[in-house]
């Protein structure tokens, strides 16, 4: 997810300061540490220390450890949605073409927070196979990502800006396309650029919705230093990747070798 203006992104106070505390501070600490070290590499004590709270408080809010992963990703997505809504309303970008342009940017890793969120998606997807709870959480998060595309295309069809397309199909194409672009951007920094990814996505999606003009994008934000990552093998993974192989049932010999 991403910010869509050329100004500095709206970022909450880092959880490491310990000033936020409580559940919000715990979630933000979880976002940062899981994105950096992977879910299996993070201890509850690490999250508590970064959030400036006791381990008992973390256990109070998250009695089931997997909830930390799903709730951290939901927390990150909610913040990104709020940033998008603030910028859309402050700039009065209400036309279907403007909304589609902003949603393309929303689906690309434009900011440091976006990269963190991409890594959380990877963690959730890699763990979701074989877990009904995580699979359901992942499906709900994906629904939230698709919904704004569906709404924008529906409005475009009503106004006549878009034509001859199915909103649900366009949303599926858009999210799959942006997933692929994100994968390339994170795995090959010297190859595809954000400008290229935006241009290519805009070309394909204007064709998909029958829009004849150019999408009115906002300026790209200034480049940011990528967040550190101690698991470089996971850093290149894309946001909503389907798991490559089914996970073995819990309790089988294969399960004991999981890191």
């Amino acid at each position: 997810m991403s910010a869509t203006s050329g100004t500095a992104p709206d970022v909450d106070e880092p959880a490491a300061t310990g000033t936020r505390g409580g559940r919000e501070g715990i979630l933000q600490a979880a976002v940062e540490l899981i994105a950096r070290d992977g879910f299996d590499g993070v201890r509850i004590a690490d999250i508590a220390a970064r959030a400036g709270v006791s381990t008992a408080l973390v256990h109070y809010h998250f009695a089931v450890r997997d909830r930390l992963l799903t709730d951290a990703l939901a927390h990150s997505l909610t913040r990104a949605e709020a940033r998008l809504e603030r910028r859309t309303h402050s700039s009065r970008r209400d036309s279907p073409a403007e909304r589609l342009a902003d949603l393309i940017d929303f689906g690309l890793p434009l900011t440091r927070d976006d990269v963190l969120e991409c890594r959380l998606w990877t963690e959730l997807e890699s763990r979701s196979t074989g877990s009904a709870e995580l699979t359901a959480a992942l499906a709900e998060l994906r629904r939230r990502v698709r919904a704004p595309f569906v709404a924008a295309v529906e409005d475009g069809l009503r106004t006549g800006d878009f034509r001859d397309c199915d909103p649900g199909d366009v949303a599926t194409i858009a999210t799959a396309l942006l997933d692929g672009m994100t994968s390339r951007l994170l795995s090959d920094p010297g190859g595809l650029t954000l400008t290229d990814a935006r241009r290519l996505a805009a070309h394909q999606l204007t064709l998909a919705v029958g829009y004849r003009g150019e999408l009115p994008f906002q300026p790209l934000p200034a480049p940011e230093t990528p967040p550190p990552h101690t698991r470089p093998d996971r850093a290149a993974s894309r946001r909503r990747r389907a798991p490559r192989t089914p996970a073995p049932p819990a309790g089988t010999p294969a399960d004991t070798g999981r890191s």
Side-chain angles (χ1 to χ4, degrees):
M1 304 301 110
S2 63
T4 54
S5 75
T7 59
D10 297 324
V11 181
D12 292 338
E13 184 74 11
T17 64
T19 58
R20 294 174 61 202
R23 192 173 189 276
E24 289 293 300
I26 293 168
L27 286 172
Q28 184 57 28
V31 167
E32 295 167 2
L33 293 180
I34 294 170
R36 189 190 71 185
D37 299 334
F39 188 64
D40 291 327
V42 176
R43 300 178 306 158
I44 295 298
D46 298 329
I47 294 172
R50 190 169 184 87
V53 300
S54 67
T55 56
L57 186 61
V58 179
H59 285 295
Y60 173 78
H61 286 293
F62 302 98
V64 179
R65 193 169 185 271
D66 279 353
R67 284 294 301 275
L68 262 175
L69 178 57
T70 58
D71 286 8
L73 182 50
H75 168 76
S76 180
L77 179 56
T78 297
R79 293 174 67 212
E81 290 168 336
R83 291 195 300 271
L84 175 66
E85 185 175 1
R86 285 196 297 272
R87 285 178 169 79
T88 298
H89 287 296
S90 65
S91 303
R92 295 178 178 162
R93 292 174 62 80
D94 296 325
S95 75
E98 289 171 333
R99 290 166 62 191
L100 184 59
D102 288 349
L103 286 169
I104 289 173
D105 280 351
F106 184 68
L108 294 172
L110 271 62
T111 71
R112 183 181 186 277
D113 280 352
D114 299 336
V115 176
L116 293 175
E117 187 181 319
C118 291
R119 294 174 183 171
L120 263 67
W121 276 103
T122 299
E123 288 291 328
L124 178 54
E125 288 169 347
S126 68
R127 302 179 70 89
S128 63
T129 300
S131 167
E133 181 179 355
L134 292 181
T135 298
L138 182 59
E140 172 58 21
L141 290 167
R142 284 174 170 157
R143 186 200 63 75
R144 284 175 57 179
V145 171
R146 290 180 75 257
F149 281 103
V150 172
V153 175
E154 288 175 342
D155 286 348
L157 290 171
R158 280 192 289 269
T159 62
D161 292 276
F162 302 157
R163 57 185 61 83
D164 301 328
C165 62
D166 178 87
D169 289 348
V170 172
T172 298
I173 292 168
T175 52
L177 178 63
L178 293 169
D179 283 351
M181 295 292 185
T182 295
S183 175
R184 286 287 305 277
L185 287 166
L186 297 182
S187 63
D188 185 15
L192 188 71
T193 66
L194 276 172
T195 300
D196 289 337
R198 174 195 262 185
R199 173 180 56 81
L200 293 170
H203 177 69
Q204 295 301 320
L205 292 180
T206 52
L207 290 176
V209 299
Y211 184 70
R212 295 175 182 172
E214 292 189 7
L215 293 181
F217 285 100
Q218 298 190 67
L220 285 169
E224 299 180 51
T225 302
H229 202 299
T230 59
R231 301 282 293 276
D233 56 316
R234 297 191 180 201
S237 300
R238 64 187 169 95
R239 180 178 319 175
R240 289 177 281 278
R241 182 187 64 195
R244 293 181 182 177
T245 56
T252 64
D255 194 50
T256 61
R258 189 172 187 172
S259 58

